[in-house]
Amino acid sequence: MERGYATEFTAGDKIGLCEVTEVDQGNGESHYYVFDLNLNLCLTYDGTAWTLPPGAELTPERQADGIRTHYYAYYPWQQDKGMGDKIVTGLGSATQKPTGTPWTPREFFAPLIRDWAPASDQSTYAAYTASDLMVARGTVTKRTDGADGSELRFEMEHQMALAVIQVPTTKYTYTETVSGIETEKSYRLYTGMNAWDWWKENSYTMRRLMNPNRSERYTFTSIYYNSLPEMRQFGVQLVSDAIRPGTYLLYTIDGGKAEAKKRPLKEGDFYMRDGSVLPREAANGGVLPAEVQADCLGVVFWVGENEGRHWTQTAYLKGDYLLMRDHPECTRGMAVALHDAFQGAAWATGEGAGEYLYGWGKGFSGFTPAEQADWEAIDASGAGYGYCRSRLMKLYGAHYPATTFPAYNQIDTYADAHPAPDGSSGWFFPGQRELAMMCYGMTGNFSEKPTTRRNLLNGLFPKAGGEAFDGRYWSNFEDGTNAWTIDFAGSTAYGNKSKSDTHKVRAVIAF
């Protein structure tokens, strides 16, 4: 794994080990041999130590009659029976050299290094690390833990060259008052830098390994957003042999600096799949570029306190206690998905279609300890919040398996196809509060049914590759045989509908 520009091994990593036998000829010269025994021996790291394959045993460093063993290792281990063709000498043949001058690691593995081909697509961390190549010659020293015996030590040296591109990164800060308490909050700006076949270390840095023993040219172009936000385009041309083995070359775009700026989070901002935010002003010129649309998960619809309500509250008009217990970091905003989870599904089937779930929970005595803790957080939460009521549906379904919740099941399916970022709540079924905020821009007093918030979202969804609200949508707020809905088309009428009816559902997420 990466520690800045240093590398550390993790459990499961494998190195290949080869032995070289040196036979002293007594005239200042030695013969050096590589035999099949312990050629490309696979050693596996368990997080603490490297283990040999079952039954394998290393040859002692010093043997009788002036014979010595030298040890060479490389990473990552290659399951290749032709390893004899990837080292400096043929198997079993003698190479005469001055006594005590074994090959350097680069000399010994010269064919392997020369022919090493980093993956053309290094976009996953596994492909990126598998493109690396490190070699070393071992030294035998006394054990460092004070016990008898020796240890074989390798100091690996990178043989590939590393190209790093870094664009500027921005952290936006702002203050927000909820329940009379002023808090400073922050979020990261989405940069837009699309790595394609590079490994993207974070939202503003990407890496690519190249073989400096070959003269290869590689041209890369991309866009990024600066803090204005303004979309900029850049290009980099790499020449592999211009970077020395074991070093990295850092390309900084527009200085590549980190900065902090003041900007509050706003309804209509775009929530991205890496957990960052792209300000809505970025779409003022029209639709977002296709690669940016691919990174967009949803549009922010709720920021700050509304009519005295906020999901983080603990006072009267309480918030979502369960959400704050599970995800206390999710205090900035809520976003709604770009697409419907399903075009039409019943709210419930079976017993749950006629049961008031909250009333059931109040009277139920069969919860496990973990379920009881969930129920107590649900019971303490304010009515109409979606995350806690989503869990209530799960609790009911766990004890009444004949009941299904088709609308919520579609949100689970949507979540599988659109992974939630770290630091978010994950996708959940919106409650009355969330659904009303998406349509009316208010959480409770919505009798006049304003459409400003719905119109804002509907104007932004297509710019990010999504679809506008259209038709009637479920919330998970219910009273027994019915559940609360809003018709997002035309009249934007709200009201209860039978749980057996089929309506649309769209997922939301807190961050």
Side-chain angles (χ1 to χ4, degrees), residues 312-327:
T312 65
Q313 287 178 330
T314 58
Y316 176 66
L317 298 175
K318 301 179 289 292
D320 195 323
Y321 280 46
L322 188 66
L323 174 56
M324 287 296 92
R325 186 202 72 182
D326 291 352
H327 304 281

Side-chain angles (χ1 to χ4, degrees), residues 248-455:
Y248 69 91
L249 186 59
L250 176 62
Y251 296 84
T252 56
I253 310 302
D254 289 344
K257 295 180 180 179
E259 61 178 326
K261 294 191 69 174
K262 295 285 187 181
R263 182 192 181 274
L265 185 69
K266 299 178 183 179
E267 292 88 356
D269 288 344
F270 300 101
Y271 184 60
M272 313 305 282
R273 65 178 179 177
D274 64 356
S276 62
V277 172
L278 179 62
R280 66 190 191 190
E281 302 92 270
N284 284 348
V287 299
L288 298 172
E291 61 266 33
V292 179
Q293 292 183 11
D295 279 345
C296 186
L297 283 181
V299 181
V300 177
F301 71 90
W302 188 349
V303 177
E305 203 170 55
N306 183 278
E307 297 179 293
R309 297 183 179 91
H310 195 271
W311 63 92
T312 65
Q313 287 178 330
T314 58
Y316 176 66
L317 298 175
K318 301 179 289 292
D320 195 323
Y321 280 46
L322 188 66
L323 174 56
M324 287 296 92
R325 186 202 72 182
D326 291 352
H327 304 281
E329 72 281 6
C330 294
T331 63
R332 293 182 291 272
M334 286 192 183
V336 54
L338 293 178
H339 310 277
D340 293 336
F342 202 66
Q343 290 297 304
W347 200 95
T349 66
E351 300 99 318
E355 181 110 55
Y356 177 39
L357 303 191
Y358 180 77
W360 163 80
K362 272 286 194 184
F364 189 66
S365 59
F367 289 131
T368 67
E371 290 174 336
Q372 182 65 30
D374 285 353
W375 163 249
E376 290 173 3
I378 294 166
D379 190 27
S381 298
Y385 287 102
Y387 184 91
C388 60
R389 292 303 176 102
S390 295
R391 186 70 58 83
L392 178 59
M393 297 170 75
K394 295 282 190 181
L395 288 178
Y396 187 89
H399 291 275
Y400 295 92
T403 291
T404 65
F405 297 104
Y408 192 24
N409 291 342
Q410 295 302 324
I411 288 181
D412 282 346
T413 301
Y414 188 87
D416 290 340
H418 301 82
D422 293 338
S424 74
S425 65
W427 298 106
F428 60 92
F429 197 161
Q432 183 188 53
R433 305 267 186 242
E434 292 91 357
L435 199 66
M437 280 291 290
M438 287 185 277
C439 190
Y440 309 130
M442 52 182 66
T443 58
N445 183 24
F446 37 75
S447 58
E448 296 182 2
K449 302 190 289 295
T451 60
T452 306
R453 186 62 47 81
R454 180 206 66 178
N455 296 345

Side-chain angles (χ1 to χ4, degrees), residues 71-88:
Y71 311 91
Y72 295 85
Y74 72 97
Y75 169 88
W77 175 69
Q78 304 293 293
Q79 190 173 8
D80 187 350
K81 295 180 180 179
M83 193 64 192
D85 297 329
K86 298 179 181 180
I87 57 177
V88 69

Side-chain angles (χ1 to χ4, degrees), residues 109-394:
F109 289 113
L112 177 66
I113 296 169
R114 180 194 64 227
D115 297 333
W116 189 261
S120 58
D121 183 356
Q122 299 177 29
S123 57
T124 66
Y125 189 62
Y128 166 74
T129 56
S131 297
D132 198 2
L133 176 62
M134 294 187 287
V135 300
R137 186 167 71 87
T139 57
V140 178
T141 62
K142 290 184 178 180
R143 291 177 60 125
T144 56
D145 59 6
D148 291 337
S150 303
E151 58 185 19
L152 177 58
R153 303 179 65 86
F154 293 97
E155 291 190 14
M156 292 287 195
E157 295 182 349
H158 293 275
Q159 300 306 305
M160 297 297 103
L162 177 63
V164 182
I165 296 177
Q166 194 169 83
V167 299
T169 176
T170 302
K171 182 172 100 171
Y172 287 122
T173 61
Y174 62 103
T175 57
E176 187 174 84
T177 301
V178 176
S179 298
I181 300 173
E182 187 175 84
T183 306
E184 183 172 287
K185 297 183 179 180
S186 65
Y187 60 95
R188 290 186 299 108
L189 167 70
Y190 168 76
T191 64
M193 181 175 60
N194 198 313
W196 284 292
D197 51 6
W198 293 55
W199 175 56
K200 198 168 184 179
E201 180 183 5
N202 51 46
S203 63
Y204 54 90
T205 309
M206 58 188 188
R207 302 182 178 211
R208 184 173 185 83
L209 288 160
M210 305 180 73
N211 192 332
N213 301 284
R214 302 175 176 183
S215 182
E216 297 178 344
R217 291 184 177 273
Y218 181 90
T219 300
F220 176 83
T221 59
S222 184
I223 63 166
Y224 87 94
Y225 287 93
N226 62 21
S227 59
L228 291 176
E230 174 187 57
M231 188 178 71
R232 295 176 63 83
Q233 189 171 33
F234 67 91
V236 173
Q237 186 175 77
L238 308 178
V239 181
S240 61
D241 55 5
I243 313 175
R244 290 184 293 109
T247 66
Y248 69 91
L249 186 59
L250 176 62
Y251 296 84
T252 56
I253 310 302
D254 289 344
K257 295 180 180 179
E259 61 178 326
K261 294 191 69 174
K262 295 285 187 181
R263 182 192 181 274
L265 185 69
K266 299 178 183 179
E267 292 88 356
D269 288 344
F270 300 101
Y271 184 60
M272 313 305 282
R273 65 178 179 177
D274 64 356
S276 62
V277 172
L278 179 62
R280 66 190 191 190
E281 302 92 270
N284 284 348
V287 299
L288 298 172
E291 61 266 33
V292 179
Q293 292 183 11
D295 279 345
C296 186
L297 283 181
V299 181
V300 177
F301 71 90
W302 188 349
V303 177
E305 203 170 55
N306 183 278
E307 297 179 293
R309 297 183 179 91
H310 195 271
W311 63 92
T312 65
Q313 287 178 330
T314 58
Y316 176 66
L317 298 175
K318 301 179 289 292
D320 195 323
Y321 280 46
L322 188 66
L323 174 56
M324 287 296 92
R325 186 202 72 182
D326 291 352
H327 304 281
E329 72 281 6
C330 294
T331 63
R332 293 182 291 272
M334 286 192 183
V336 54
L338 293 178
H339 310 277
D340 293 336
F342 202 66
Q343 290 297 304
W347 200 95
T349 66
E351 300 99 318
E355 181 110 55
Y356 177 39
L357 303 191
Y358 180 77
W360 163 80
K362 272 286 194 184
F364 189 66
S365 59
F367 289 131
T368 67
E371 290 174 336
Q372 182 65 30
D374 285 353
W375 163 249
E376 290 173 3
I378 294 166
D379 190 27
S381 298
Y385 287 102
Y387 184 91
C388 60
R389 292 303 176 102
S390 295
R391 186 70 58 83
L392 178 59
M393 297 170 75
K394 295 282 190 181

